[in-house]
Every structure is written in structure tokens, then in C-alpha cells.
Amino acid sequence: MELGIGIGWRPEIADEVEALAGIDWVEAVAENLCADHLPDSLLRLRERGVRVVPHGVALGLGGAERPDPARLASLAARAELLGTPLVTEHIAFVRAGGPLTASPRLEAGHLLPVPRTWDMLDVLCENVRIAQDSLPVPLALENIAALITWPDEELTEGQFLAELVERTGVRLLIDVANLHTNHVNLGQDPAKALDELPVEAIAYVHVAGGVERNGVWHDTHAHPVTAPVLEVLAELRSRVDPPGVLLERDDAFPPAAELAGELDAIRATLRKAAPREVPGPARDGGGDGGRAPAAPVPAGIRDRTAVAQTALLSALVAGTPSPEGFDRRRLRVQSRALAAKRADVVAKVAPELPEILGDGYRAAFLTYAGGRPMSGGYRRDALDFAEHVLVAGGPADPVARRRLTYWWQDRSGARPPRRTTRLVRAARAALAGK
């Protein structure tokens, strides 16, 4: 299935994407689309013959629990609505806690790496098979960027992906920017990863920008594509002619001319890098490859995975002690990055909050995030943050406080609890725990 050259469709650049020349397809974040109707821009693109591929970010196939049927049904509905040839997701976990650990559920609000172990591979493969059985089209999975790595890993990234493809027949979405990120942050060689993974299973490729700060590469999707990332794309192109290549941009959107320039740089890189022959038989990258169903993963493996992922996520978002074997400095960097992303996304889904709070918004949110892990989505997080500010007696300006109160009431359907009410609740909880 040939896709060609594409770009990530985002509402902020919908007009620019429609006007770009030479766009064969677009990718849209699945969770940002309604299940029963599409934005006018996507409808116009489809009428022109431009394919639209839904890209999921919240399924959490690398989590300890089996995939949520409701989330799978939602992704399947979007695939049907778009008439897409495939859907994509990530090899990552995004939440932890819950029934397997008898602890509160925690949301990362971000894609976190899974340990490359045989146990994790068993869990991931079963989760992937469940997803494949629930989706109307083939599934492709993306490698993610990471700031941290798990101790005692048993497989390289390339070996892990190769084994995943062999067991499930799933296709791959290879993000060359993420390979570069892992090279800078974790010392992992992109060329070695490309040599080890089954490049014939690649459905398409992501190219994106980032920035290096204090020796750490941040995969921002808000900066121009750099030369080192294009070099990784050339490495991949020398091994295989990918069916599709897509430019991703999620923030700090540049003028259309700059997007067009980045697409031209991608095209030029693909033209210059001549593919070389790759040995080995071709694999069937769609469906389950005709493989026999595997035995269910033993509960003990899922339980161990759940405990480990919960301990890591709790350290990152709730300030609990770092699990043994992790780089504590890197965990602090990751923790700050998660809080900063929460602040940025909440400002997008609830733009009234930074407007009401002004320059104090970011500092106030980061203080809140330091003691309040996210347990729901970003909209719930916005409401909880507003309640936190009000209960603490803020904002100091009475006009801003009144505006924030009205905003909170309008969206929560309730009156914000007074500080006295909160103290009574806390005292009751303390007494109940004795």
C-alpha cells in the first residue's frame, strides 16, 4: 500500500495543509476527532482523494492491563468513518495503577517507554492481538522517544520490534526523529536499530523536529526538522523504500512556506539515499499473519508489569521514591517534562485559565501538578486545577477570582468547595483511617 508524502493534519494548520502542493495523505490524532462526523477540512481533503489515517495516542498497548474495549471501539469507529487503509498507535504505556495493583489510577499524559524484556513482550503481543481483532483495518505501531530507560533490559530496540512483528504480524510506524532522540539521550545507535528491525514491515515513517537542552534531546514536534534527523531518514531509505513518509508538527506552527520547505527537504533526502538490498524473506505485515493464537499471558506476568509501571509513573507524577536501577537525574528531567506538558495542554483545552490567571498561570499550575497526579483526562485536570486555585484562596485579584469561579461553576455544575469544607473532609478522612 503506497501512501506517498504526507503531513500531520491539525486544526491550527488546516488551511495551510489544504493549500500545500504534493500532499498525498494526512494523519489526524484519533482522539481529537468525533466518532460521528469529521471537520470540514478533512472532508474536503477526502473529496480530493487525500487519504486520512487516524493516529491514536491514548490506547496504552504497552500497559499492564488488557486494552480498554471502549477505547478500541472508539478507534475502530474513527477508522470506519475515515475509510482509512490502516490505523496507528504507539509502543508505550500511558497509565498505571488501578485494579492490578489495588491503587489509584495514574495518568501520564504522555507516552512512556516499556521495558524491553521477554515478559513485557508477552504482555505487549497479547495486547496487540486483542487490538488487531477489534479493528476493521490493519494496525501499525510506532517506536517512541524516551528520556529514560529501564534497568535490566534483555533486548535492543531493533530486536524487540523484530520479535513483536514475528509474533503478531503487526506493521511498524518508524519515527526517525525518535531514533535520533534515543541516540542522543540513551546512546542507542539508529543504524543498529534499523539493521535489526524488519524494515519490510514498515507501513510508513514519521519525521519531526526537536531541540537539545543541556545534553538532553526533547522530541517537541514544535521545532524544525534537523539535519541529524534527515540523516537517520537517509539511513532508513538506504535499506528500504518506505510506503509513506509524513511530517509531524504539533505546536509553534510556522508559516506554510516553512512547512513546504521541510517537506521539500524530506523529498530531497529520499531521492538522494539509494536503497540497498536487504536479505531475508518478505513478511506479511497485515492482520495476524495467519499465526495461531498464542496462550494467554499468565496473570503473574501482568501483575509484575503493573507493579513496576505503577512505581515508575508514581515517581514521575506523584513524587514517590525512584524505583531501584533508574537514573534519578533522568527521572527528574522526565518528571519536569511531564508537568510542563500538562501545563501546555491544559492551556490549550482550557485557554480561559491562562487568560484569567495571566503570567501567574504556569507557576501556579506547576505547583499544583507537583502534588496532584493526573487521574483523568486533560479537561478533568483543568477543572481540578481551577478548584485547587479557588480553594487556596486565589487568585488574589477579586475580578479574576470571580471570573475563575464562574468558569469553574459553568463547567463543573457545582459550587466550588470552601476551604472549611475541604478541611472537614480531610478531618473525616483522617478519622476514618484510624
Side-chain angles (χ1 to χ4, degrees):
M1 176 191 59
E2 292 296 321
L3 289 170
I5 298 296
I7 189 169
W9 181 91
R10 304 293 182 265
E12 297 90 338
I13 53 170
D15 292 342
E16 288 83 353
V17 169
E18 286 189 61
L20 283 170
I23 295 299
D24 302 306
W25 64 291
V26 298
E27 180 192 77
V29 176
E31 288 79 2
N32 291 347
L33 300 176
C34 295
D36 56 354
H37 70 277
L38 295 174
D40 290 343
S41 173
L42 288 181
L43 289 174
R44 288 191 293 269
L45 286 168
R46 290 188 67 211
E47 288 171 359
R48 284 165 37 188
V50 176
R51 284 172 165 162
V52 182
V53 173
H55 186 52
V57 298
L59 199 51
L61 289 174
E65 293 185 338
R66 291 176 176 82
D68 179 1
R71 292 181 187 275
L72 282 172
S74 177
L75 187 56
R78 283 152 180 78
E80 296 278 12
L81 181 65
L82 290 166
T84 182
L86 79 164
V87 297
T88 59
E89 247 289 353
H90 298 82
I91 301 169
F93 79 101
V94 297
R95 62 189 64 85
L100 289 181
T101 57
S103 63
R105 186 173 296 283
L106 299 172
E107 293 280 345
H110 190 67
L111 303 164
L112 293 177
V114 300
R116 296 189 196 115
T117 62
W118 294 106
D119 276 1
M120 184 66 245
L121 195 57
D122 288 342
V123 171
L124 176 62
C125 287
E126 184 175 75
N127 289 351
V128 168
R129 292 189 195 99
I130 293 169
Q132 288 171 318
D133 289 344
S134 303
L135 296 170
V137 292
L139 171 68
L141 294 181
E142 180 180 354
N143 60 303
I144 71 163
L147 289 172
I148 56 177
T149 186
W150 288 76
D152 303 322
E153 291 195 318
E154 299 166 323
L155 299 156
T156 65
E157 181 165 27
Q159 291 168 341
F160 192 82
L161 293 176
E163 189 70 22
L164 173 65
V165 170
E166 178 64 29
R167 292 194 193 185
T168 66
V170 75
R171 304 190 72 186
L172 297 176
L173 192 181
I174 295 300
D175 190 315
V176 294
N178 291 349
L179 290 177
H180 172 68
T181 300
N182 294 346
H183 172 62
V184 176
N185 293 347
L186 308 175
Q188 298 172 357
D189 183 5
K192 180 181 179 182
L194 291 172
D195 284 339
E196 292 177 337
L197 65 83
V199 293
E200 69 276 6
I202 293 176
Y204 63 89
V205 174
H206 272 174
V207 182
V211 64
E212 187 171 347
R213 300 191 189 100
N214 301 319
V216 175
W217 186 268
H218 296 270
D219 178 46
T220 63
H221 291 196
H223 292 81
V225 175
T226 62
V229 170
L230 292 176
E231 289 170 9
V232 181
L233 177 63
E235 280 279 353
L236 184 148
R237 177 68 177 92
S238 73
R239 292 159 173 79
V240 70
D241 185 4
V245 179
L246 181 128
L247 172 65
E248 277 193 302
R249 188 75 176 231
D250 291 326
D251 207 350
F253 299 103
E258 290 186 30
L259 292 174
E262 291 196 278
L263 287 165
D264 287 342
I266 289 170
R267 293 186 183 99
T269 299
L270 294 171
R271 283 195 303 269
K272 291 177 184 176
R276 57 182 171 81
E277 213 171 298
V278 179
R283 303 171 193 246
D284 178 6
D288 62 5
R291 293 161 177 79
V297 176
I301 293 179
R302 285 194 181 271
D303 290 343
R304 289 195 299 272
T305 302
V307 169
Q309 290 183 343
T310 301
L312 174 59
L313 186 51
S314 182
L316 292 173
V317 302
T320 56
S322 302
E324 187 176 350
F326 282 92
D327 183 327
R328 294 184 179 182
R329 184 183 70 85
R330 283 297 177 90
L331 288 184
R332 289 194 294 271
V333 173
Q334 180 71 83
S335 180
R336 290 194 295 269
L338 291 178
K341 181 176 180 179
R342 280 176 71 184
D344 291 341
V345 178
V346 165
K348 284 186 176 181
V349 301
E352 301 88 353
L353 294 179
E355 179 192 342
I356 293 170
L357 298 176
D359 293 340
Y361 163 76
R362 192 167 188 83
F365 189 92
L366 293 178
T367 299
Y368 153 82
R372 292 283 296 273
M374 187 165 63
S375 58
Y378 283 109
R379 297 187 189 282
R380 179 73 257 171
D381 208 22
L383 284 169
D384 290 346
F385 168 62
E387 179 181 329
H388 169 81
V389 172
L390 292 168
V391 167
D397 176 56
V399 175
R401 179 171 175 79
R402 188 161 53 250
R403 288 184 64 198
L404 185 61
T405 300
Y406 290 154
W407 182 90
W408 190 92
Q409 288 175 332
D410 182 56
R411 285 153 184 80
S412 68
R415 301 182 67 178
R418 299 175 183 272
R419 277 177 288 178
T420 304
T421 304
R422 291 292 293 269
L423 289 172
V424 169
R425 288 179 184 172
R428 286 176 179 167
L431 289 172
K434 290 185 177 180

